[in-house]
Amino acid sequence: MHRPLTALALVVLASPGYAQELNALVWCDHTDPALIAPFEEKFGVKVNLKEYEGTAAGLTILDQSQPGDWDVLVIDAVDVRRAVEAGHLAELPADKLATADFFPELVMAENNTVNGKTYAVTEKFGYNTIAYDKTKVDPADMTDMATLTSGKYDGRIAIYDYYLPVLGLVALGQGTATADITADTLAALKEPLFALKKASKQVADVVSAQTALATGEVDIMVGGGEWVTAVLMADNPNLDWTIPRQGGLRWAQSIGVVAGSTQPDLALEFVNYITSPEGQARLATSSCYWGMPANAKTGDLLTPEQKATLRWDEQPGFLARAQLYPIPDAALDTAMQDLWTEMLQQ
Amino acid sequence: MTLAARERRLGWGLVAPALLWTLAFFVLPFVAMLALSFARMEGREVVAGFDPGNYIRFFTDWTLFKALVTSLEITAVVTVVSLILAYPLAAIIAFRVPQRWQRLALLLAVLPFWTSYVVRSYSWLLVLGQNGVVNKTLLWAGLIAEPLEIAATRTATIIGFVHFFVMLLTLTIYANLIQLSPNYARAAQDLGAGRIATFIHVILPLTLPGVVTGAFLTFVLCIGDYITPQILGGNNELTLPQLIMLQLGRSGNFPLASALSVILMAVVTLAYAASARWLRLDRL
């Protein structure tokens, strides 16, 4: 009877005596201890992290929580407005954010600001485009999306299992801008989407796609980018990615303070840490997946190798050729997901 | 208070915690899920009401209904294949392996249970891949000229499932076999029955409760599994649990997800009703 109590007491005594705890609803790249530990040490707090996938899942968690349960939210930049309209994000003091140091395209005021008030700040971005093994495919072929369904690479393709970027890519392949996807134009995407599925071996989530590329199960990933290849580079330097001539998609994630947080000042400190050059360098090279930092000053803290992997110097060209995710309303979102489900069942 | 009344009261007192637990963590959530299955989505909002639309949609939209058909097909194949493999294994352990080694044999049989389910599924992906052990061995032996496409197919899902459920079925069937008195087989053989006749007319009927119990558990766990088809199936077809997860994680369509879950529970209940006559969960 005494032994468990003694063991429990030892565990309690051995744990750092944190005065506060900060609860953050995040993506997997924030769970890297190398990113979180410096903040915990500086502020003497314990950061509790919960991963989620997909905006719907994140918003559902917030819907089912009590005010004060969560302090920080990481969310798709294009979904910030949705979170604001659901009442989940608190206004941020724009003058205390590091956006002046950001790449201009990554300030994304049209996404992070609603009715003139700032609710989130961009923290990381990258591309959903074509990732491939350059020793297994002709890199020149990867610059044209039409090659994917030409028959040359049948059974060697994985499709990233996220309807928004892939439908966006398919739309670009048809000459439709992502912002122009509507209920009317969506019907025209069915045939090329199904053709892509027919040419593919699998529709894969992040880990499955990385596994398939790493093991040579597939040679191409549609919807992939630096976020897939960077963590695999050490083992397989032949992995590469490109933005085809039809264009690619730019993903971006934002971070904000959850409405109702009982410690908004500490939450804001966390947001500012993540968007500081130090936090950005760690987030950009997080163990789960890499991505470009939104803060341009981060370049001073990254090694030449890290910058090469992130293709730092090529960003101006990439940013010019990439479009944002589609931002569907509820009806279009449902129609897109129904089309995606139908594609999966083919 | 009479003795009988006191014993009745004591009985209820002992059962009460289990009843309360079941009420709180099964009955009430199920009622909530059932109610939610009749709600509908308006935009991104859930609107309460009594709308059978989710059920009508499931039974009239092939894209959704196909998920149930796929689940049933996979579950049926997995259950049959697992039974065919597990019964002889359990019989060998029960009748051929010396008693002092049986515990070790069972331990070895369930050893894969000790690893994480997710890790085990990803491991199968590596084993069954184009550059995996299976293809490399077959290529090396000259049995195939090109690697077989196994990973990211229904076959891979079935292999992953069978690996898991053979262990489960082996345990349930072994538990039944070991309780059989050897006198049954001796009596049958004294009456002139051969080995096959003894097995078909004596051993198999007596072990049917264990077989059906294992098969029922395999059916329930297999048809409700999300991880194995998600990792090994390559998302090339959707099972019912995958379809449910799609509604929860991506769409936020809780009413449809609830309706699909109720349908899944109905299928499991039907399976229970069909096998209830032979089910002997007390023999596990």
Side-chain angles (χ1 to χ4, degrees), chain A residues 223-268:
Chain A
E226 76 299 316
W227 59 277
V228 171
T229 58
V231 291
L232 302 172
M233 279 288 199
D235 294 324
N236 190 349
N238 297 322
L239 295 179
D240 203 352
W241 59 278
T242 189
I243 296 182
R245 61 179 170 77
Q246 291 92 344
L249 265 75
R250 186 177 95 210
W251 58 265
Q253 57 195 62
S254 292
I255 186 168
V257 175
V258 176
S261 166
T262 54
Q263 39 195 354
D265 294 339
L266 182 63
L268 182 62

Short mmCIF file of all heavy atoms in Angstrom, two decimals, chain A residues 223-268:
data_model
loop_
_atom_site.label_atom_id
_atom_site.label_comp_id
_atom_site.label_asym_id
_atom_site.label_seq_id
_atom_site.Cartn_x
_atom_site.Cartn_y
_atom_site.Cartn_z
N GLY A 223 -0.20 16.44 -54.34
CA GLY A 223 -0.58 17.16 -53.12
C GLY A 223 0.59 17.26 -52.16
O GLY A 223 0.51 17.92 -51.14
N GLY A 224 1.69 16.59 -52.52
CA GLY A 224 2.88 16.63 -51.66
C GLY A 224 3.69 17.88 -51.92
O GLY A 224 3.40 18.67 -52.82
N GLY A 225 4.72 18.05 -51.12
CA GLY A 225 5.60 19.20 -51.26
C GLY A 225 6.74 19.03 -50.28
O GLY A 225 7.04 17.91 -49.86
N GLU A 226 7.33 20.15 -49.88
CA GLU A 226 8.46 20.09 -48.95
C GLU A 226 8.06 19.44 -47.62
O GLU A 226 8.87 18.83 -46.95
CB GLU A 226 9.03 21.49 -48.72
CG GLU A 226 8.23 22.41 -47.81
CD GLU A 226 6.84 22.71 -48.31
OE1 GLU A 226 6.70 22.97 -49.50
OE2 GLU A 226 5.88 22.67 -47.53
N TRP A 227 6.78 19.56 -47.25
CA TRP A 227 6.32 19.02 -45.97
C TRP A 227 6.37 17.49 -45.96
O TRP A 227 6.39 16.88 -44.89
CB TRP A 227 4.91 19.53 -45.65
CG TRP A 227 3.90 19.18 -46.69
CD1 TRP A 227 3.66 19.85 -47.85
CD2 TRP A 227 3.02 18.07 -46.69
NE1 TRP A 227 2.68 19.22 -48.57
CE2 TRP A 227 2.26 18.13 -47.88
CE3 TRP A 227 2.77 17.02 -45.79
CZ2 TRP A 227 1.30 17.18 -48.19
CZ3 TRP A 227 1.81 16.09 -46.10
CH2 TRP A 227 1.08 16.17 -47.29
N VAL A 228 6.40 16.88 -47.13
CA VAL A 228 6.52 15.42 -47.22
C VAL A 228 7.98 15.03 -47.38
O VAL A 228 8.47 14.12 -46.72
CB VAL A 228 5.71 14.87 -48.41
CG1 VAL A 228 6.01 13.40 -48.63
CG2 VAL A 228 4.23 15.06 -48.18
N THR A 229 8.68 15.72 -48.26
CA THR A 229 10.02 15.26 -48.64
C THR A 229 11.12 15.66 -47.64
O THR A 229 12.09 14.93 -47.48
CB THR A 229 10.40 15.81 -50.03
OG1 THR A 229 10.32 17.24 -49.99
CG2 THR A 229 9.46 15.30 -51.09
N ALA A 230 10.94 16.81 -46.96
CA ALA A 230 12.04 17.33 -46.14
C ALA A 230 12.47 16.36 -45.05
O ALA A 230 13.67 16.14 -44.86
CB ALA A 230 11.64 18.67 -45.53
N VAL A 231 11.49 15.77 -44.34
CA VAL A 231 11.87 14.87 -43.25
C VAL A 231 12.45 13.55 -43.76
O VAL A 231 13.06 12.81 -43.00
CB VAL A 231 10.68 14.58 -42.30
CG1 VAL A 231 10.29 15.79 -41.51
CG2 VAL A 231 9.50 14.03 -43.08
N LEU A 232 12.25 13.27 -45.06
CA LEU A 232 12.77 12.02 -45.62
C LEU A 232 14.10 12.22 -46.33
O LEU A 232 14.74 11.26 -46.75
CB LEU A 232 11.76 11.43 -46.61
CG LEU A 232 10.35 11.13 -46.08
CD1 LEU A 232 9.43 10.72 -47.21
CD2 LEU A 232 10.41 10.01 -45.04
N MET A 233 14.49 13.49 -46.49
CA MET A 233 15.70 13.83 -47.27
C MET A 233 16.95 13.11 -46.79
O MET A 233 17.76 12.65 -47.59
CB MET A 233 15.94 15.33 -47.23
CG MET A 233 15.11 16.12 -48.19
SD MET A 233 15.68 15.86 -49.87
CE MET A 233 14.97 17.26 -50.69
N ALA A 234 17.09 13.01 -45.46
CA ALA A 234 18.31 12.42 -44.92
C ALA A 234 18.47 10.98 -45.39
O ALA A 234 19.58 10.54 -45.72
CB ALA A 234 18.27 12.46 -43.39
N ASP A 235 17.35 10.24 -45.46
CA ASP A 235 17.40 8.84 -45.87
C ASP A 235 17.29 8.69 -47.38
O ASP A 235 17.78 7.71 -47.95
CB ASP A 235 16.28 8.04 -45.20
CG ASP A 235 16.47 7.98 -43.70
OD1 ASP A 235 17.64 7.89 -43.27
OD2 ASP A 235 15.48 8.04 -42.97
N ASN A 236 16.59 9.60 -48.00
CA ASN A 236 16.39 9.49 -49.43
C ASN A 236 16.54 10.86 -50.10
O ASN A 236 15.55 11.58 -50.32
CB ASN A 236 15.01 8.89 -49.73
CG ASN A 236 14.85 8.55 -51.21
OD1 ASN A 236 15.68 8.93 -52.03
ND2 ASN A 236 13.80 7.83 -51.54
N PRO A 237 17.78 11.23 -50.44
CA PRO A 237 18.00 12.55 -51.04
C PRO A 237 17.45 12.67 -52.46
O PRO A 237 17.50 13.75 -53.05
CB PRO A 237 19.53 12.68 -51.02
CG PRO A 237 20.04 11.30 -50.93
CD PRO A 237 19.02 10.48 -50.23
N ASN A 238 16.92 11.57 -52.98
CA ASN A 238 16.38 11.63 -54.34
C ASN A 238 14.97 12.21 -54.40
O ASN A 238 14.43 12.42 -55.49
CB ASN A 238 16.36 10.22 -54.96
CG ASN A 238 17.75 9.66 -55.09
OD1 ASN A 238 18.68 10.39 -55.41
ND2 ASN A 238 17.91 8.38 -54.81
N LEU A 239 14.38 12.44 -53.23
CA LEU A 239 13.03 12.99 -53.23
C LEU A 239 13.08 14.49 -53.53
O LEU A 239 13.94 15.21 -53.03
CB LEU A 239 12.35 12.74 -51.89
CG LEU A 239 12.10 11.28 -51.55
CD1 LEU A 239 11.45 11.15 -50.18
CD2 LEU A 239 11.23 10.61 -52.62
N ASP A 240 12.16 14.93 -54.35
CA ASP A 240 12.14 16.32 -54.76
C ASP A 240 10.69 16.74 -54.97
O ASP A 240 9.78 15.90 -54.91
CB ASP A 240 12.94 16.48 -56.07
CG ASP A 240 13.44 17.90 -56.26
OD1 ASP A 240 13.05 18.79 -55.48
OD2 ASP A 240 14.22 18.12 -57.20
N TRP A 241 10.46 17.99 -55.21
CA TRP A 241 9.11 18.45 -55.52
C TRP A 241 9.20 19.65 -56.44
O TRP A 241 10.22 20.32 -56.52
CB TRP A 241 8.34 18.79 -54.25
CG TRP A 241 8.96 19.85 -53.39
CD1 TRP A 241 9.96 19.69 -52.48
CD2 TRP A 241 8.64 21.24 -53.38
NE1 TRP A 241 10.29 20.88 -51.90
CE2 TRP A 241 9.49 21.86 -52.42
CE3 TRP A 241 7.72 22.03 -54.07
CZ2 TRP A 241 9.44 23.22 -52.14
CZ3 TRP A 241 7.67 23.40 -53.78
CH2 TRP A 241 8.52 23.97 -52.83
N THR A 242 8.13 19.89 -57.14
CA THR A 242 8.11 21.03 -58.05
C THR A 242 6.69 21.58 -58.16
O THR A 242 5.72 20.89 -57.80
CB THR A 242 8.62 20.63 -59.45
OG1 THR A 242 8.79 21.80 -60.23
CG2 THR A 242 7.63 19.71 -60.16
N ILE A 243 6.59 22.78 -58.63
CA ILE A 243 5.28 23.34 -58.93
C ILE A 243 5.10 23.26 -60.45
O ILE A 243 5.87 23.87 -61.19
CB ILE A 243 5.16 24.80 -58.44
CG1 ILE A 243 5.26 24.83 -56.92
CG2 ILE A 243 3.84 25.42 -58.91
CD1 ILE A 243 5.12 26.21 -56.31
N PRO A 244 4.14 22.48 -60.92
CA PRO A 244 3.98 22.34 -62.38
C PRO A 244 3.56 23.66 -63.02
O PRO A 244 3.16 24.60 -62.33
CB PRO A 244 2.88 21.29 -62.51
CG PRO A 244 2.19 21.26 -61.20
CD PRO A 244 3.16 21.70 -60.18
N ARG A 245 3.63 23.69 -64.33
CA ARG A 245 3.37 24.95 -65.01
C ARG A 245 1.92 25.42 -64.83
O ARG A 245 1.63 26.60 -64.90
CB ARG A 245 3.72 24.86 -66.49
CG ARG A 245 2.95 23.84 -67.29
CD ARG A 245 3.40 23.87 -68.74
NE ARG A 245 2.86 22.77 -69.50
CZ ARG A 245 1.60 22.73 -69.93
NH1 ARG A 245 0.78 23.72 -69.71
NH2 ARG A 245 1.18 21.68 -70.63
N GLN A 246 1.02 24.47 -64.54
CA GLN A 246 -0.38 24.88 -64.30
C GLN A 246 -0.54 25.57 -62.94
O GLN A 246 -1.55 26.18 -62.67
CB GLN A 246 -1.30 23.66 -64.35
CG GLN A 246 -1.47 23.05 -65.72
CD GLN A 246 -0.46 21.94 -65.98
OE1 GLN A 246 0.55 21.81 -65.29
NE2 GLN A 246 -0.72 21.15 -67.02
N GLY A 247 0.47 25.43 -62.08
CA GLY A 247 0.43 26.06 -60.76
C GLY A 247 0.31 25.04 -59.64
O GLY A 247 0.15 23.85 -59.87
N GLY A 248 0.43 25.55 -58.41
CA GLY A 248 0.30 24.69 -57.24
C GLY A 248 -0.48 25.42 -56.17
O GLY A 248 -0.91 26.56 -56.38
N LEU A 249 -0.66 24.75 -55.05
CA LEU A 249 -1.40 25.39 -53.96
C LEU A 249 -0.47 25.75 -52.82
O LEU A 249 0.49 25.02 -52.55
CB LEU A 249 -2.51 24.47 -53.44
CG LEU A 249 -3.86 24.75 -54.07
CD1 LEU A 249 -3.89 24.20 -55.49
CD2 LEU A 249 -4.98 24.18 -53.24
N ARG A 250 -0.76 26.85 -52.18
CA ARG A 250 0.02 27.25 -51.01
C ARG A 250 -0.80 26.98 -49.77
O ARG A 250 -1.92 27.46 -49.66
CB ARG A 250 0.34 28.74 -51.10
CG ARG A 250 1.28 29.20 -50.01
CD ARG A 250 1.60 30.67 -50.21
NE ARG A 250 0.73 31.51 -49.42
CZ ARG A 250 0.36 32.73 -49.76
NH1 ARG A 250 0.73 33.26 -50.90
NH2 ARG A 250 -0.42 33.45 -48.97
N TRP A 251 -0.24 26.16 -48.88
CA TRP A 251 -0.92 25.97 -47.60
C TRP A 251 -0.30 26.92 -46.59
O TRP A 251 0.88 27.31 -46.71
CB TRP A 251 -0.85 24.52 -47.10
CG TRP A 251 0.53 23.94 -46.91
CD1 TRP A 251 1.22 23.21 -47.82
CD2 TRP A 251 1.38 24.07 -45.76
NE1 TRP A 251 2.44 22.86 -47.30
CE2 TRP A 251 2.57 23.37 -46.04
CE3 TRP A 251 1.25 24.70 -44.53
CZ2 TRP A 251 3.63 23.28 -45.13
CZ3 TRP A 251 2.29 24.61 -43.62
CH2 TRP A 251 3.47 23.91 -43.93
N ALA A 252 -1.08 27.32 -45.66
CA ALA A 252 -0.56 28.20 -44.60
C ALA A 252 -1.34 27.90 -43.33
O ALA A 252 -2.55 27.66 -43.38
CB ALA A 252 -0.73 29.66 -45.00
N GLN A 253 -0.64 27.90 -42.23
CA GLN A 253 -1.31 27.68 -40.96
C GLN A 253 -1.15 28.92 -40.09
O GLN A 253 -0.12 29.59 -40.13
CB GLN A 253 -0.76 26.43 -40.25
CG GLN A 253 0.73 26.43 -40.01
CD GLN A 253 1.25 25.04 -39.65
OE1 GLN A 253 1.16 24.09 -40.44
NE2 GLN A 253 1.82 24.92 -38.45
N SER A 254 -2.20 29.22 -39.37
CA SER A 254 -2.21 30.40 -38.51
C SER A 254 -2.32 29.99 -37.06
O SER A 254 -2.74 28.86 -36.75
CB SER A 254 -3.38 31.31 -38.88
OG SER A 254 -3.17 31.89 -40.15
N ILE A 255 -1.98 30.91 -36.18
CA ILE A 255 -2.08 30.63 -34.75
C ILE A 255 -2.78 31.81 -34.09
O ILE A 255 -2.57 32.97 -34.48
CB ILE A 255 -0.67 30.38 -34.14
CG1 ILE A 255 -0.78 29.95 -32.67
CG2 ILE A 255 0.25 31.58 -34.30
CD1 ILE A 255 0.53 29.41 -32.09
N GLY A 256 -3.64 31.51 -33.13
CA GLY A 256 -4.36 32.57 -32.44
C GLY A 256 -4.67 32.19 -31.01
O GLY A 256 -4.38 31.06 -30.57
N VAL A 257 -5.25 33.13 -30.29
CA VAL A 257 -5.63 32.90 -28.90
C VAL A 257 -7.12 32.53 -28.87
O VAL A 257 -7.94 33.20 -29.51
CB VAL A 257 -5.37 34.16 -28.05
CG1 VAL A 257 -5.89 33.97 -26.62
CG2 VAL A 257 -3.88 34.49 -28.04
N VAL A 258 -7.43 31.48 -28.14
CA VAL A 258 -8.82 31.00 -28.09
C VAL A 258 -9.66 31.96 -27.24
O VAL A 258 -9.24 32.39 -26.15
CB VAL A 258 -8.87 29.57 -27.51
CG1 VAL A 258 -10.31 29.10 -27.35
CG2 VAL A 258 -8.10 28.61 -28.40
N ALA A 259 -10.86 32.29 -27.75
CA ALA A 259 -11.78 33.14 -26.99
C ALA A 259 -12.14 32.46 -25.68
O ALA A 259 -12.39 31.26 -25.64
CB ALA A 259 -13.03 33.38 -27.82
N GLY A 260 -12.11 33.23 -24.61
CA GLY A 260 -12.46 32.66 -23.30
C GLY A 260 -11.27 32.15 -22.54
O GLY A 260 -11.42 31.66 -21.42
N SER A 261 -10.06 32.26 -23.14
CA SER A 261 -8.86 31.83 -22.42
C SER A 261 -8.73 32.62 -21.12
O SER A 261 -8.95 33.85 -21.11
CB SER A 261 -7.62 32.06 -23.30
OG SER A 261 -6.45 31.96 -22.50
N THR A 262 -8.40 31.93 -20.04
CA THR A 262 -8.26 32.62 -18.76
C THR A 262 -6.88 33.24 -18.59
O THR A 262 -6.62 33.90 -17.60
CB THR A 262 -8.51 31.63 -17.60
OG1 THR A 262 -7.64 30.51 -17.78
CG2 THR A 262 -9.96 31.16 -17.59
N GLN A 263 -6.00 32.98 -19.56
CA GLN A 263 -4.65 33.55 -19.50
C GLN A 263 -4.24 34.08 -20.88
O GLN A 263 -3.27 33.57 -21.47
CB GLN A 263 -3.65 32.53 -18.96
CG GLN A 263 -3.88 31.12 -19.47
CD GLN A 263 -3.12 30.10 -18.66
OE1 GLN A 263 -2.34 30.41 -17.77
NE2 GLN A 263 -3.35 28.84 -18.98
N PRO A 264 -4.99 35.06 -21.36
CA PRO A 264 -4.72 35.56 -22.71
C PRO A 264 -3.33 36.16 -22.88
O PRO A 264 -2.76 36.08 -23.98
CB PRO A 264 -5.81 36.63 -22.92
CG PRO A 264 -6.27 36.99 -21.55
CD PRO A 264 -6.09 35.78 -20.72
N ASP A 265 -2.78 36.73 -21.82
CA ASP A 265 -1.44 37.32 -21.94
C ASP A 265 -0.39 36.26 -22.19
O ASP A 265 0.50 36.42 -23.04
CB ASP A 265 -1.08 38.11 -20.67
CG ASP A 265 -1.99 39.33 -20.51
OD1 ASP A 265 -2.57 39.76 -21.54
OD2 ASP A 265 -2.14 39.82 -19.38
N LEU A 266 -0.49 35.16 -21.43
CA LEU A 266 0.46 34.06 -21.62
C LEU A 266 0.26 33.43 -23.00
O LEU A 266 1.23 33.08 -23.70
CB LEU A 266 0.28 33.00 -20.53
CG LEU A 266 1.25 31.82 -20.57
CD1 LEU A 266 2.69 32.30 -20.35
CD2 LEU A 266 0.89 30.78 -19.51
N ALA A 267 -1.00 33.30 -23.41
CA ALA A 267 -1.30 32.74 -24.73
C ALA A 267 -0.69 33.62 -25.82
O ALA A 267 -0.13 33.11 -26.81
CB ALA A 267 -2.80 32.60 -24.92
N LEU A 268 -0.78 34.93 -25.64
CA LEU A 268 -0.20 35.85 -26.62
C LEU A 268 1.33 35.72 -26.64
O LEU A 268 1.97 35.79 -27.69
CB LEU A 268 -0.61 37.29 -26.31
CG LEU A 268 -0.09 38.35 -27.29
CD1 LEU A 268 -0.63 38.11 -28.70
CD2 LEU A 268 -0.47 39.76 -26.82
#
